[in-house]
Amino acid sequence: MSKYINFIRKALSGEEVDYTKASIRSAVLLLAIPMMLEMAMESVFALVDLYFVGHLKESGYAIQTVGLTESVLSIMYSIAIGMSMAATALVARRIGEKNPEQASRSAAQVLLVSFAVTFILSLFGVIYAEEILILMGSKPEAAAYGKDFTRIMMGSSVVIMLLFLINGIFRGAGNAAIAMKSLWIANIANIILCPVLIKGFGPIPAMGLTGAALATTIGRSIGVIYQLYHILIADTQVRIRLDYFKPKFDLIQSIIKIATPGIFQFVIASCSWIFLAQLVATTGGENASAGYQTALRLMMFFMLPAWGLSNAASTLVGQNMGANEMLRAENSVMKTVKYNVIFMVAVSVIFFFLGDFLVGFFTNEPEIKNIATNALHIIAVGFIFYGIGMVMINAFNGAGDTWTPTWVNLCGFWLFQIPLAYFLSKYLEMGPKGVFISIPVAETLITIVAFILFKKGKWKTVKV
């Protein structure tokens, strides 16, 4: 038992490990443990908000606003994730080559490019918050109720981007513990601030839904401050000096080459989820939308740790390719697949047997609970395939081959999932249930295609 405790302590401590030399099993688990906890903390943000706003007087409006805002913010997340993939691929490759200074320079340039792009989109979200909610299928009165929440959340997009991006840098360097701790700190702050700002405390007035947005933004900002300390001041493997931010156009070109398809990859997926959310809202109404958003938040709580586990493949592929260990890179991916499948099987069992119980934490409305539980049961059918697909996508991205998963997502989501969802919900008049069915069917197809392409091995030839 003490051996396992010491191993977990090592994984959480953040001590430097040469992942190109350690055993593959140890390398995967040393990265996966903090990465899973990191992603679990990211999902806690949405669940904490959902819990508190789900008990507000206008809970239907509130839940719908949180869900639709998160759907729109997924575009921001896509940009942040796409840029973080470029950061992870470049930093991991340079660390594998034993060149930490160049890894730090690459990290600085990614931050420079990302900040400029996200600031513009953030400004757009602040100005058109109410119109965005209406466009997403919200009723005018619900949009008026939730516009301040959306405005604050969209305005904090730069903070969201930094949180994702800097953690991507740390993951590329193999220091997943710092990434994990930054989200622990951010979540603790959010959990403390949510009831205070939503319900009021002492001289602080009750701000309702707006308070939830402020709590999340302040919490994430505290996490970013922790990150900036470690990447600018502390003695870590990747340490950015101010002069590293001077634009290096050859490096920026490499970043854009990797990040652009990576951003498209997740924008394609995110926009498909936005379309599905809109389709549920228009075919099922307010309660169906709230139920679907509740199911998605619960699903993401369990899916994000699996994504964190699959991130281990990204770091290991990048570092082993940098060390010219191609077979080890491929074996690391298959080992990660094994662990992710085990995890997703466990999640499937939980959703099938405890779905109604879990939904009950977030809403007392019978119709919303029924729709959310139904959605969980249907979507969970494809969880094993989700687990494999996540690892495949991260393996491609870690190698710097961001185009392959982009094309797979484009065909899988837009040429298959969306038409299928529309056909089932509208043409066959299945309503929201048709949308739910389209999700595991499409994800299964995407996973099969991605696995076949991975085994062909073209990703091994990518230079970054």
Side-chain angles (χ1 to χ4, degrees):
M1 180 61 72
S2 62
K3 180 176 74 171
Y4 295 113
I5 293 173
N6 288 334
F7 186 86
I8 293 172
R9 186 182 292 118
K10 182 178 180 180
L12 299 179
S13 68
E15 66 178 80
E16 291 184 8
V17 175
D18 188 344
Y19 292 105
T20 65
K21 301 295 183 184
S23 75
I24 292 176
R25 178 176 177 274
S26 294
V28 171
L29 293 176
L30 284 171
L31 286 168
I33 291 170
M35 285 179 177
M36 290 179 75
L37 291 172
E38 175 199 346
M39 289 292 103
M41 287 301 98
E42 180 58 41
S43 66
V44 166
F45 275 113
L47 283 185
V48 168
D49 287 347
L50 191 63
Y51 174 80
F52 285 107
V53 304
H55 292 82
L56 291 172
K57 185 177 180 181
E58 300 285 352
S59 63
Y61 285 170
I63 291 172
Q64 185 182 38
T65 297
V66 171
L68 294 179
T69 302
E70 284 288 321
S71 294
V72 176
L73 275 174
S74 63
I75 296 176
M76 298 294 185
Y77 296 149
S78 298
I79 295 170
I81 293 170
M83 296 303 297
S84 73
M85 285 190 308
T88 299
L90 287 165
V91 169
R93 194 71 69 94
R94 301 294 87 84
I95 293 296
E97 294 168 353
K98 309 298 187 256
N99 191 349
E101 181 184 344
Q102 192 59 34
S104 302
R105 290 183 181 276
S106 299
Q109 295 299 301
V110 177
L111 284 169
L112 186 66
V113 174
S114 301
F115 187 87
V117 173
T118 312
F119 179 78
I120 296 170
L121 291 173
S122 176
L123 190 62
F124 180 84
V126 170
I127 297 170
Y128 296 105
E130 188 170 356
E131 290 81 359
I132 288 170
L133 286 173
I134 292 173
L135 182 66
M136 286 292 296
S138 179
K139 294 178 181 178
E141 56 269 27
Y145 174 84
K147 65 182 179 182
D148 289 337
F149 175 90
T150 304
R151 185 169 287 125
I152 293 168
M153 294 298 288
M154 295 292 286
S156 68
S157 296
V158 172
V159 174
I160 293 170
M161 180 275 297
L162 287 173
L163 197 62
F164 272 93
L165 184 56
I166 298 175
N167 276 354
I169 291 168
F170 285 128
R171 285 194 298 269
N175 199 336
I178 294 177
M180 173 198 69
K181 290 171 186 175
S182 68
L183 278 170
W184 275 95
I185 291 168
N187 267 285
I188 290 170
N190 183 47
I191 291 168
I192 293 170
L193 290 171
C194 252
V196 172
L197 297 180
I198 291 173
K199 297 181 177 180
F201 182 78
I204 300 173
M207 289 181 272
L209 189 59
T210 302
L214 287 172
T216 299
T217 299
I218 294 169
R220 281 180 167 143
S221 298
I222 293 171
V224 169
I225 291 170
Y226 174 83
Q227 291 176 321
L228 291 173
Y229 168 77
H230 281 280
I231 205 166
L232 297 175
I233 299 171
D235 185 20
T236 54
Q237 196 169 17
V238 175
R239 184 177 179 184
I240 298 176
R241 292 166 34 187
L242 290 180
D243 60 302
Y244 289 177
F245 287 106
K246 183 179 178 180
K248 300 289 184 183
F249 293 104
D250 57 334
L251 190 49
I252 289 174
Q253 188 175 7
S254 297
I255 291 166
I256 292 172
K257 182 180 177 182
I258 299 171
T260 300
I263 291 170
F264 282 143
Q265 178 186 138
F266 284 90
V267 166
I268 287 165
S270 298
C271 287
S272 73
W273 285 100
I274 290 173
F275 184 89
L276 295 182
Q278 197 268 347
L279 197 56
V280 169
T282 55
T283 60
E286 180 187 311
N287 285 337
S289 179
Y292 176 60
Q293 297 300 337
T294 301
L296 284 186
R297 300 287 80 75
L298 274 167
M299 186 182 83
M300 292 310 296
F301 177 75
F302 289 96
M303 294 285 279
L304 281 173
W307 183 261
L309 199 163
S310 69
N311 274 333
S314 184
T315 299
L316 291 171
V317 167
Q319 290 199 11
N320 281 298
M321 287 181 72
N324 202 30
E325 294 281 355
M326 297 300 179
L327 180 60
R328 182 181 169 87
E330 184 171 354
N331 289 339
S332 298
V333 172
M334 300 316 297
K335 182 70 74 173
T336 308
V337 164
K338 175 185 174 182
Y339 293 138
N340 221 21
V341 166
I342 293 170
F343 178 78
M344 294 307 288
V345 168
V347 174
S348 298
V349 172
I350 290 171
F351 275 19
F352 279 122
F353 291 100
L354 298 175
D356 186 64
F357 174 76
L358 293 171
V359 169
F361 277 102
F362 302 101
T363 180
N364 296 317
E365 295 290 333
E367 187 176 351
I368 294 176
K369 284 181 66 176
N370 182 55
I371 292 169
T373 303
N374 190 33
L376 286 179
H377 289 164
I378 293 172
I379 294 171
V381 171
F383 272 8
I384 293 174
F385 288 96
Y386 299 168
I388 299 170
M390 289 175 197
V391 179
M392 295 297 107
I393 287 172
N394 275 297
F396 286 122
N397 291 331
D401 180 13
T402 48
W403 272 116
T404 294
T406 300
W407 285 114
V408 171
N409 278 357
L410 178 63
C411 295
F413 288 121
W414 283 91
L415 299 183
F416 183 75
Q417 185 187 60
I418 289 177
L420 178 62
Y422 190 88
F423 175 78
L424 294 176
S425 63
K426 295 269 194 177
Y427 189 78
L428 296 185
E429 298 182 350
M430 296 176 68
K433 186 176 181 180
V435 177
F436 305 156
I437 291 172
S438 72
I439 295 171
V441 173
E443 291 285 355
T444 300
L445 177 66
I446 288 169
T447 296
I448 292 170
V449 172
F451 187 83
I452 291 170
L453 293 174
F454 175 79
K455 296 303 286 184
K456 285 188 174 182
K458 185 180 176 183
W459 55 272
K460 297 177 184 178
T461 64
V462 176
K463 306 293 182 184
V464 300

